[in-house]
Amino acid sequence: MFRIDINKSPSGSTDDLPETAGYDPYVSKAYVFMDETGLYGLRDGKGNIILEAEWTRLREIENQFFKAELMTRSGSVYGIVSSDGDVKVPFVYDEIEQISDHIYAGRLADEGRYMFYDAEFSLIFKESADSYSIADEILRIKRSGDEFVYNVKAEPVLAESSLFRKNRPISFTLRITDKEILTALAPSE
């Protein structure tokens, strides 16, 4: 015996959900649903709406974070929402992509510049970048002609910078081997 319910009501509990919906309340805290207009939203494990259906696309990307697409007059913009319904990354990007195991890059829709986020979707750098490349756990970021090289094996660590001033390149490398100094310094230092 099986039961199927085609109720498309946006509210309700797990009793209202079709058994064939493919969701397990013990595995997933939140899941994506589509309403009758074809837009996507989030429900919790009990079927209660966390986020109303307002996105043209919504998909889980990591640890209960969801990449959402919002249609605007000028085109699509992307952001990241959590399973709690919080907007973690604002809807100002024309693309957000995972570039390493724990780093995401978002290209700003109005400027074409890049911002970088960690796996919990906190900003890694306050400044945007003109361009970037990543290979073999090395992230190269260019900002206004300057280049910054980060080792991104775990948390990004500045390994090298090349600063270009008045058409005369200035570069330096800083190597710190005293781990006590590293733990005492704030990331901005």
Side-chain angles (χ1 to χ4, degrees), residues 66-92:
F66 297 81
K67 180 178 174 181
E69 177 185 13
L70 185 63
M71 200 59 140
T72 65
R73 290 181 185 166
S74 58
S76 296
V77 289
Y78 294 89
I80 304 293
V81 294
S82 71
S83 61
D84 298 331
D86 295 329
V87 175
K88 298 297 284 182
V89 174
F91 289 84
V92 295

Side-chain angles (χ1 to χ4, degrees), residues 125-186:
F125 312 113
K126 293 178 184 177
E127 303 84 18
S128 62
D130 299 325
S131 63
Y132 75 91
S133 64
I134 188 161
D136 299 324
E137 298 179 341
I138 300 294
L139 174 63
R140 295 179 180 280
I141 295 175
K142 290 191 177 182
R143 288 187 195 112
S144 304
D146 298 337
E147 183 176 68
F148 302 91
V149 179
Y150 294 89
N151 180 336
V152 293
K153 190 172 195 172
E155 163 178 327
V157 175
L158 182 63
E160 183 181 327
S161 342
S162 298
L163 308 175
F164 295 92
R165 301 289 187 254
K166 296 184 183 180
N167 297 326
R168 196 178 97 191
I170 299 170
S171 66
F172 65 91
T173 302
L174 177 64
R175 289 190 175 89
I176 299 176
T177 56
D178 186 350
K179 295 195 187 247
E180 289 179 23
I181 291 174
L182 288 175
T183 58
L185 295 175

